[in-house]
Amino acid sequence: MATTTIDSADSLSRLPDPQHGLRGSLVVHASGENAGLMRLDVDLPDVPTADEASRLVKLKIPGEVVPLDATEATGENGGFVISYFSSDIANAGHLPADAVVTWEVDGHERQIRAVDIESAEEVEARRGTEAAVVPGGRPLDLYPKTVMLLAAIAVAFLLICVVAFLAMG
């Protein structure tokens, strides 16, 4: 199984980023019915709208082969709550060891390292349920539609086989 690593390059400085003054935190649901959902709270003054944040901002975490695309974003004036889903976290039930937020503005890639990676349970206990809510719904809403389509085809095939077997005997 291929996995990604996150380089510890100088360009990935700890938050707050001295050059941009950027801050961020990542709340991870590692277990339970929301396993795999992640909530990124981040200040990105050069990203004007939630739609652009959803489209531009990627999350790199160990265990995922490619950077994760946002599933939804809310916010304005550079302060956003962006949600992601990781099948690796959903299956393994662990917090990522590291996370890097990347986005591109005016043809230049920017990136920051998210330092505050916390479990949803810890955040809920300290700051309440709202602090761990992930925009966009539950994990079942985020699984690719092709997986559901393949499951429906498999069930249909099984039914056809059962009917054909019963018709023969």
Side-chain angles (χ1 to χ4, degrees):
M1 176 177 172
T3 60
T4 188
T5 59
I6 297 177
D7 297 327
S8 60
D10 294 332
S11 63
L12 300 176
S13 60
R14 291 278 182 203
L15 294 174
D17 184 307
Q19 184 179 12
H20 300 95
L22 301 174
R23 301 178 300 116
S25 67
L26 187 64
V27 176
V28 179
H29 291 265
S31 62
E33 65 182 22
N34 291 325
L37 287 178
M38 294 178 285
R39 170 190 172 130
L40 175 67
D41 291 74
V42 66
D43 293 332
L44 302 171
D46 52 355
V47 179
T49 66
D51 287 340
E52 286 190 54
S54 180
R55 185 175 50 83
L56 295 175
V57 180
K58 311 284 186 215
L59 183 65
K60 295 179 182 178
I61 60 170
E64 293 290 347
V65 177
V66 296
L68 300 173
D69 291 321
T71 57
E72 188 158 328
T74 61
E76 58 188 11
N77 299 325
F80 300 104
V81 176
I82 306 171
S83 60
Y84 297 90
F85 178 76
S86 169
S87 57
D88 180 63
I89 291 172
N91 292 326
H94 62 82
L95 294 180
D98 206 354
V100 175
V101 179
T102 66
W103 70 102
E104 189 173 311
V105 175
D106 298 328
H108 295 81
E109 184 179 86
R110 311 241 164 126
Q111 51 190 6
I112 53 175
R113 188 176 298 271
V115 294
D116 297 328
I117 301 173
E118 300 179 276
S119 75
E121 293 81 16
E122 292 171 351
V123 170
E124 286 178 7
R126 258 193 353 271
R127 298 184 297 187
T129 304
E130 270 307 300
V133 171
V134 178
R138 301 166 47 95
L140 293 178
D141 300 332
L142 304 175
Y143 277 110
K145 291 180 182 177
T146 54
V147 172
M148 291 183 189
L149 177 63
L150 289 174
I153 290 171
V155 169
F157 179 74
L158 181 62
L159 287 173
I160 290 170
C161 290
V162 167
V163 169
F165 179 74
L166 291 175
M168 294 170 108

